[in-house]
Amino acid sequence: MQDRVSPLLLAWYDSHARDLPWRVPPGGGSADPYRVWLSEVMLQQTTTAAVAPYFRKFIDKWPDVEALAAAPEEEIMGEWAGLGYYSRARNLVACARAVAERGGFPRSERELRELPGLGAYTAAAVAAIAFGQRAVVVDANVERVVARLFAIDDPLPAARKAIRAAAETITPERRAGDFAQAMMDLGATICTARDPKCLLCPLADLCRARETGRQAELPVKPPRKPKPHRRGAAWWIERDGKVLLVTRPGKGMLGGMRALPDDGWSARRDGSGDPPMPGEWKNLGSVQHGFTHFTLELSVMALAGQASGPLPEGIWHEIGKLEDAGLPTLFAKAASRARERG
DNA sequence: AATGCGGGGCG
DNA sequence: CGCCCAGCATT
């Protein structure tokens, strides 16, 4: 069975590959390692639809790894704002500089794996897609396709070892990059998490889960923990048409990003509620935001009169140009609330 | 092996 | 609403 998978899948890919901004069409020549790397990092835990505009913006602004390596880190963080998982942006900068320094991307999976922000998946994907190496590429799509194809019914994450071993047996020597992208396209469009479209699947006749109708039950995932709820406050400090923004510490939630001053909700269970300085504060209402492991209700407080103490360390940003401030989504929501109600 | 880390889109 | 997504670093 194993030897029949990649020919069927590659033939399907040749006519059904998705047209994506970072992709070279099947048989369409060699991929630029910079574009492959940039897209793969953006695509970590992020959908293709969310990535596409960011990818175009980055390529426009920084067309090669040398340009990206020469850019100020704050500017790159600002362009990443809204895409999430901001440690990726910090690692992106470190990686670009390391690669520019050594004169280009390494070609082997082992050397790629040592670069900041490249784990097992991304190293394999770049090696296969950009350099044509045979590498076993396992992401959430491949996990799902393989778990169904081989009817692997142990729950994740314990099943990962068996899934990788099975993926190894179907990865071809040639066209490993196309094979990886074909598996991901199949997972994204046919072998979907909910309601798989088996009638359209080129591998349906080989699929062991489909034999017994269990495709929708695989892979088996562990139950999810409930998200706690937290409260916090952010401070809108306005002067002469400008608002005070701070830069968050490099590590932790929204690390290294521009933000409104807040009461420390990210470091404890709830924020302290203490304003950064004494004064008459007015509540402009709150915004709701969901993070990976908790939800937050953030009250937006505006200074009504004059400040009576030292201000937090920060920069004054034109309120009319807040869209360019590089605020992550939570603080973009808070700023919108302040501008509506303040 | 478990946890922290964003945000948006879909059913 | 809950679930899912081209995962990585840290512990």
Side-chain angles (χ1 to χ4, degrees), chain A residues 28 36 52 93 102-103 115 159-160 188 237 272 287 296 326-327:
Chain A
V36 175
V93 176
R102 72 184 292 290
L115 293 169
R160 296 229 158 89
I237 303 168
S272 65
V287 295
L296 178 69
L327 292 175

Side-chain angles (χ1 to χ4, degrees), chain A residues 286-305:
Chain A
S286 64
V287 295
Q288 295 282 339
H289 193 72
F291 291 106
T292 309
H293 52 297
F294 63 93
T295 60
L296 178 69
E297 179 179 352
L298 186 71
S299 298
V300 185
M301 309 292 291
L303 186 59

Side-chain angles (χ1 to χ4, degrees), chain A residues 232-236 260 282-287 298-302 333-335 337-338:
Chain A
W235 316 103
W236 179 263
L260 297 175
K282 183 174 123 193
N283 193 337
L284 301 182
S286 64
V287 295
L298 186 71
S299 298
V300 185
M301 309 292 291
K333 283 184 191 174
R337 169 57 55 92

Side-chain angles (χ1 to χ4, degrees), chain A residues 2-59:
Chain A
Q2 281 89 332
D3 53 317
R4 297 177 56 195
V5 172
S6 78
L8 280 171
L9 187 65
L10 285 166
W12 173 82
Y13 184 67
D14 286 337
S15 52
H16 293 83
R18 286 178 293 171
D19 181 19
L20 298 168
W22 46 86
R23 181 176 281 180
V24 175
S30 58
D32 175 359
Y34 171 66
R35 294 168 63 96
V36 175
W37 162 72
L38 179 62
S39 63
E40 291 300 342
V41 172
M42 288 182 166
L43 287 161
Q44 289 164 8
Q45 290 288 284
T46 310
T47 55
T48 56
V51 165
Y54 282 84
F55 178 79
R56 293 187 223 275
K57 192 170 64 173
F58 269 65
I59 290 294

